[in-house]
Structure formats: C-alpha cells, structure tokens
Amino acid sequence: MQEEQQPEAAADPMSSSDAPEDGPKETSSVSQNISDAEAFKILLEMKLKKRQKKPSLPSTVTELDTEDGSKVYVVGTAHFSDSSKKDVVKTIQEVQPDVVVVELCQYRVSMLKMDERTLLKEAKEINLEKLQQAIKQNGVMSGLMQMLLLKVSAHITEQLGMAPGGEFREAFKEASKVPFCKFHLGDRPIPVTFKRAIAALSFWQKVKLAWGLCFLSDPISKDDVEKCKQKDLLEQMMAEMIGEFPDLHRTIVSERDIYLTYMLKQAAKQIELPRASETEPRRYIPAVVVGVVGMGHVPGIEKNWNSDLNIQEIMSVPPPSASSKIFKLVVKATVFGLMGYGCYRIGQRTVQFILSMPAAQSYLQKLTEIRSQH
C-alpha cells in the first residue's frame, strides 16, 4: 500500500536547489575548471551572507534547537490568511534555510502547482465524481471522511473567496530561490490519518460526526480568520466539532503533531560539506530549517520536540471493526435505496430488476447476518 511506505521515502518527493539568477554572474570570472566542491563553497558563502545572524522574524515564528546546533523556525499559520503568506516569505528570506518542511503529504502536493483561480474553483466544487474518486482511492469509509472534511474547507472557501494552502505555495516559491534549499513534505499520508480516525469511532459517533459536517453553514468573515491566527481557523472548527470525540482528536491532531515533529527533526540533521578528494576529512555544519504548519500544531511540536519519537505505531492502520463494517453496509444500502426509489418513480419492474441484482442481494444478506450477530 502506498500509504504504508516509510515516512522518509515520502518526505522528499521534490526538492529545489536552483541558484538565484545572479549566481552565474557572480562566478563567471572563475575558471571553467572549477571543482564541484569549490562551486558549492562559493554559492554557500553567498547564501550565508544573505542569512541574518539575528533575523527579524514575525511573532508567529517559534524557534527550536537540536542537540547538534541546528535551528528550526516553525511558522504557525492560518490556512486561509494573507498575513500567514507574508510571514512565511519573510522568514525564508531572513534565515535562508537549507530545508523547508510544509504540512502536506504526497496526496495533497498538487495544490503547490495549481494557481489560485483553479484551486478556488476546485475547492468549491464537491460533486459525485470527486466522491467516487475518493472512495476508489481510499475506500468507502476513508473516502467519505475525506469528502466531509473537504466540505468544511469548501465552506470556508465559499465564505471567504480564498483558496486554502496559500502559505504552502509561497513557501514552495521562496524555497526555489534559496541555493541548495530542499523542500520536504512533512505531514502523515492522509489515507492513514482517515483510516485511523474512522477506526477510533463507534458506529453512532461516525453518524453524529457525519451529520455535523454535512450541515455546517455558519458564516465566516476575513476578520474571523485573523482573529483565529493563534489557532488556525480550519483546525479550530474541526476541534469544535470533534471535541466530544477524544480519540478522533488524538488521530487527527495529536498523532500528526508527533509526525510533524519527527519530520522536522529529520530535516534538521547536520549537512555534510562536499570534499575535494576522498582523503579529505568529512566536515559537517548545523542545518537551518523552516517549518510551515497550522498554528494549532505548534504547541504539540514544542511539547514533543525533546522526546524520542517512534512513528511506526501511528503509521499502522487497524483492521475495520464490526461497527465500521455495519456503517459501510448501511452506506451502500442507502445508495441502493436511493437508486431503488428513483427507479420506483420510473416503474416497479425496474425496482424488481435492481433488487434482483446479485450485488444488492449480497449486501442485504451481509447486513442481515451482522445484525443477527449483534
């Protein structure tokens, strides 16, 4: 399964090491026979000159240190905020990082390359085709969970007229301007999160959560977003809805705090400098990392920073429970029921045809067997 891959493999699907446009001009007078180590040294010196020793950082930035001297600047953002975009740009320009880590996984990386207009349109349009695609990719339960959470995001998008994830796109653009800066995806794969979240809920908790998400309609203003800068708006809305489900909060927030912390610490390992020859001793320098995460994850990252973290447990997907099987069958039975009702309006013969289908009979039989066992 793709979502069960080791996190290190998913953490660096793309990187950017493009030098600024003035790079070649600076080195044009150097001999064409310059070695890779010498070229690296020249560009590194240029980068370090731009790096501020005492950077002027926004108030949303939390500074963390590792045991080997590396520095991590965590920018806490609101996912629907112009102010957060500016905070990210300023932080990257000030510290000239070696690695930028964002709160995205490989399943959401497409938002980095889409323009605002396309994203705005995509976020507002949640249709049957998207639902079918989500179910095909992640299964019925996880697919439905994904679409319900997308509905929350779409509600905010519609209210504000602003596409989510602008701070991540700004981070991607700015990272490409910093020499030798890598770009890492630091969030746990979303199918794993959804499957663990579903497994943590009872049957009635699933129904209650789905009901709350389906009928979300509270108006939101841009002022509300900025007021929630100390606790990201999207995550705050989710926290309010899942507050009565501690296990759900654990899987969606607390476990991802651990995963994000782990990925930031992995990115902050010392950097080995290139050697002119094999006989030259290895030299390392502390790394500088910028992390871009929702404000709601910052306290958890600080809490876990000095802990020894093992993410294998939070990457496992438990087998479906009996309540999950019942809920899955109820959903499928509902779909067939709607189809049957629609056909009934057309004619009773069509209804009989639908009910005689092997798939319909199989699901009805399974539902009857599970109910008799409980």
Side-chain angles (χ1 to χ4, degrees):
M1 295 289 292
Q2 190 171 5
E3 61 267 21
E4 296 177 357
Q5 291 178 349
Q6 292 297 322
E8 289 82 355
D12 192 12
M14 62 176 67
S15 63
S16 175
S17 58
D18 297 331
E21 292 182 0
D22 58 349
K25 295 179 182 178
E26 295 285 342
T27 58
S28 59
S29 60
V30 183
S31 170
Q32 293 182 354
N33 295 326
I34 187 172
S35 68
D36 290 342
E38 291 172 326
F40 180 91
K41 183 178 179 181
I42 292 171
L43 289 173
L44 182 61
E45 287 176 353
M46 291 169 54
K47 176 177 178 176
L48 295 179
K49 285 180 181 179
K50 289 185 177 181
R51 181 179 290 171
Q52 301 297 320
K53 292 182 179 179
K54 294 183 178 180
S56 174
L57 300 173
S59 60
T60 54
V61 176
T62 300
E63 184 177 342
L64 301 169
D65 298 305
T66 66
E67 294 179 354
D68 55 20
S70 297
K71 287 190 176 294
V72 178
Y73 299 92
V74 182
V75 187
T77 68
H79 295 314
F80 293 83
S81 171
D82 288 328
S83 178
S84 288
K85 297 180 189 178
K86 296 175 183 177
D87 290 351
V88 169
V89 171
K90 181 174 178 60
T91 302
I92 293 177
Q93 289 177 348
E94 286 283 313
V95 305
Q96 294 289 296
D98 302 300
V99 185
V100 171
V101 181
V102 296
E103 184 198 332
L104 289 175
C105 68
Q106 65 266 40
Y107 294 91
R108 293 176 287 158
V109 72
S110 60
M111 72 161 54
L112 294 175
K113 297 182 179 180
M114 296 172 70
D115 59 81
E116 290 283 334
R117 183 179 298 178
T118 304
L119 275 169
L120 192 59
K121 181 180 178 182
E122 287 287 321
K124 288 181 178 179
E125 294 180 354
I126 298 181
N127 50 38
L128 182 60
E129 184 180 350
K130 288 186 178 180
L131 175 60
Q132 291 173 335
Q133 184 179 359
I135 290 176
K136 184 177 180 180
Q137 182 178 4
N138 304 316
V140 174
M141 298 302 302
S142 296
L144 288 173
M145 184 72 172
Q146 180 179 350
M147 293 308 296
L148 289 173
L149 293 178
L150 282 175
K151 185 181 184 298
V152 178
S153 178
H155 171 62
I156 302 175
T157 299
E158 185 176 2
Q159 293 283 318
L160 301 182
M162 181 187 301
E167 74 273 33
F168 301 139
R169 289 186 290 280
E170 290 298 325
F172 183 63
K173 292 176 187 176
E174 288 301 316
S176 68
K177 300 175 185 177
V178 180
F180 310 113
C181 182
K182 296 181 179 180
F183 191 87
H184 288 192
L185 305 178
D187 202 0
R188 182 171 64 179
I190 200 166
V192 176
T193 297
F194 285 154
K195 288 177 181 178
R196 288 184 62 85
I198 289 295
L201 297 178
S202 68
F203 171 76
W204 291 113
Q205 284 177 325
K206 293 181 179 76
V207 173
K208 192 171 183 179
L209 176 64
W211 182 269
L213 290 171
C214 285
F215 292 93
L216 177 70
S217 60
D218 294 336
I220 303 164
S221 68
K222 290 189 177 182
D223 288 339
D224 292 331
V225 179
E226 297 307 325
K227 287 177 183 177
C228 292
K229 189 70 176 292
Q230 296 307 311
K231 190 172 185 182
D232 179 61
L233 178 64
L234 181 58
E235 291 176 10
Q236 178 170 323
M237 291 181 67
M238 288 306 303
E240 290 174 355
M241 285 185 290
I242 67 178
E244 57 187 292
F245 309 129
D247 290 334
L248 192 59
H249 185 275
R250 171 178 54 81
T251 55
I252 291 181
V253 181
S254 301
E255 289 183 358
R256 288 173 60 223
D257 290 344
I258 294 173
Y259 191 94
L260 287 164
T261 305
Y262 177 86
M263 299 309 294
L264 286 168
K265 293 177 78 170
Q266 289 293 109
K269 290 183 177 180
Q270 286 190 324
I271 299 171
E272 181 181 356
L273 298 177
R275 296 178 294 166
S277 66
E278 291 295 329
T279 58
E280 186 177 337
R282 297 179 183 273
R283 292 187 301 140
Y284 298 85
I285 59 173
V288 173
V289 177
V290 169
V292 182
V293 304
M295 181 62 73
H297 289 292
V298 176
I301 291 172
E302 289 187 275
K303 176 184 175 181
N304 293 303
W305 188 250
N306 294 316
S307 303
D308 292 328
L309 303 175
N310 183 355
I311 64 170
Q312 296 305 316
E313 181 181 351
I314 63 173
M315 287 296 291
S316 63
V317 179
S321 62
S323 65
S324 295
K325 293 177 181 178
I326 293 174
F327 189 74
K328 182 177 180 179
L329 287 171
V330 167
V331 170
K332 291 186 176 181
T334 301
V335 172
F336 277 106
L338 291 173
M339 289 173 61
Y341 176 74
C343 293
Y344 176 78
R345 300 298 296 270
I346 300 173
Q348 291 186 351
R349 289 184 179 179
T350 311
V351 175
Q352 294 175 353
F353 172 74
I354 291 291
L355 293 177
S356 66
M357 291 173 62
Q361 292 181 348
S362 175
Y363 286 128
L364 290 174
Q365 184 178 358
K366 287 181 181 178
L367 184 59
T368 303
E369 291 175 354
I370 291 177
R371 281 179 175 174
S372 62
Q373 293 174 2
H374 296 274

